[in-house]
Amino acid sequence: MSKGLFITVEGGDGSGKTTQLGYMKEFFAERSVDVIFTREPGGTAIGEKIRDMILDPKNREMGGMTEALLYAAARSQHVLQVIGPALAEGKVVVCDRFVDSSIVYQGAGRGLGKAVSVINDYAVDGVMPDVTFLFKLDPDEGRKRLRQKEPDRIESEDRDFHRKVYDAYLDLERSHPHRIIGIDGNRDPEEIRVEMISYLDRLLDGYSEALVK
């Protein structure tokens, strides 16, 4: 079986991921690439139900470990049903959030530490991103952007929580320089798009060459 290309997109709440994912869809469509766009939590019928449960602001009593296990359960189903099969067929998969989100939000934000990595080692079943785009934006600025919408249960956490998440993302970037591409999100969306597309062009060239071989 041929190996596809797995791209993930990460960033704190309000970092501009959604806008850049839209540009990414245009990029692949213009090049007629067989690509699957998906998201976490979600991506499957089971995952979407778990997503609703996790993000519902009414579920204030949810414990940190419960949250982490629910994310991992949704991810396990996602890998089994969508991501793994698509990569085995040689497709490009782009996922809005993946295991890095659990490491920073539950591992750092909730203070669960390495337990999150252990749980997710089982959930991902060896499937990890080839490349991760990390859109970096100070959480205070991100929270200002979110004032335009009703926050979900995670977005409504306090400043200290989101600061821990942001710092953990920076730690991940330093720990995985060959996988994680950090992009300054505190700029005009068009400037960010140009930088991201430059990376994607080179990435797609390498992917196409690998398939030919």
Side-chain angles (χ1 to χ4, degrees):
M1 293 185 292
S2 57
K3 172 71 167 62
L5 177 65
F6 188 20
I7 302 170
T8 57
V9 178
E10 295 282 351
D13 299 306
S15 61
K17 288 189 301 86
T18 301
T19 298
Q20 297 306 319
L21 278 164
Y23 290 138
M24 198 178 288
K25 288 179 181 178
E26 294 174 0
F27 169 85
F28 284 111
E30 289 170 358
R31 288 156 181 77
S32 301
V33 174
D34 190 4
V35 59
I36 292 176
F37 279 85
T38 188
R39 70 176 183 176
E40 290 205 345
T44 66
I46 292 172
E48 291 296 328
K49 291 178 181 178
I50 294 175
R51 180 188 183 90
D52 291 341
M53 190 184 309
I54 292 173
L55 300 183
D56 188 343
K58 296 178 182 178
N59 292 331
R60 288 293 178 188
E61 72 278 13
M62 185 180 295
M65 183 56 74
T66 302
E67 182 180 281
L69 290 167
L70 286 172
Y71 272 112
R75 182 165 298 124
S76 177
Q77 187 67 26
H78 199 192
V79 169
L80 174 69
Q81 190 175 344
V82 177
I83 299 174
L87 293 175
E89 293 173 5
K91 295 180 180 178
V92 176
V93 177
V94 178
C95 190
D96 181 359
R97 299 197 181 282
F98 195 60
V99 69
D100 292 323
S101 281
S102 285
I103 291 172
V104 300
Y105 278 88
Q106 285 73 55
R110 300 296 187 206
L112 298 178
K114 294 182 179 180
V116 174
S117 296
V118 173
I119 293 166
N120 280 278
D121 280 345
Y122 291 97
V124 302
D125 195 25
V127 175
M128 283 295 288
D130 296 296
V131 174
T132 298
F133 288 98
L134 171 59
F135 295 100
K136 300 184 292 184
L137 182 71
D138 187 274
D140 289 339
E141 180 61 32
R143 287 164 69 84
K144 290 179 184 178
R145 295 181 181 182
L146 289 175
R147 289 175 184 169
Q148 302 175 10
K149 65 185 284 289
E150 189 69 25
D152 60 38
R153 194 177 65 86
I154 305 296
E155 292 169 343
S156 61
E157 289 292 341
D158 62 23
R159 182 178 185 274
D160 182 60
F161 174 87
H162 289 286
R163 177 61 58 183
K164 289 177 182 176
V165 168
Y166 181 67
D167 290 343
Y169 265 132
L170 298 183
D171 286 342
L172 278 179
E173 180 187 10
R174 287 188 287 267
S175 299
H176 303 280
H178 300 296
R179 173 173 68 86
I180 299 179
I181 299 171
I183 295 179
D184 179 7
N186 194 29
R187 295 177 294 165
D188 182 85
E190 177 60 20
E191 290 182 47
I192 299 171
R193 184 194 72 83
V194 169
E195 181 177 351
M196 179 185 70
I197 295 303
S198 175
Y199 282 114
L200 284 173
D201 270 326
R202 297 196 296 274
L203 188 61
L204 198 59
D205 285 345
Y207 168 69
S208 299
E209 291 172 4
L211 286 183
V212 171
K213 293 177 183 178

